[in-house]
Amino acid sequence: MSHRSRRVLATGAVLAAATSAVVTGAPPAQAATTAHCPTSTTIVILPTGQGYWFPNLLMSAPACGFVDNGAPYRFTIDKATTTVYIGGNPSTYVVENLKTECTHAVVRTAGVLYAYGCHP
């Protein structure tokens, strides 16, 4: 095999490897929506008194600057208020600087943002 033939084969192998890398590429990044909200409210009914107190959130989409870029939905809330019902008795709790991630979020009538499937 001539010196030139080896060089052409080597160049072809490099191009084939580069093309393969470009075609397969890296896996796409997971979409995410991040928003900062001044307030949120939620109501939770816990028969056993156990569980996450912010499984769903009601907020103002405009106040949060909410733009839906897809799940997961990550929220930082300055003041989150929840009313927890345990055995029919309500207790209200306020948490400042709540950070939570939710699986779903939808803007409802009058710009109310409803997020659910939330966890710490």
Side-chain angles (χ1 to χ4, degrees), residues 20 95 102:
S20 175
V95 175
C102 308

Side-chain angles (χ1 to χ4, degrees), residues 70-96:
Y73 297 93
R74 297 181 183 119
F75 297 99
T76 300
I77 302 162
D78 293 337
K79 183 178 178 182
T81 303
T82 185
T83 301
V84 179
Y85 287 85
I86 300 173
N89 300 316
S91 297
T92 300
Y93 300 92
V94 176
V95 175
E96 293 181 358

Side-chain angles (χ1 to χ4, degrees), residues 15-35:
L15 286 173
T19 302
S20 175
V22 170
V23 171
T24 57
Q30 184 178 15
T33 300
T34 303

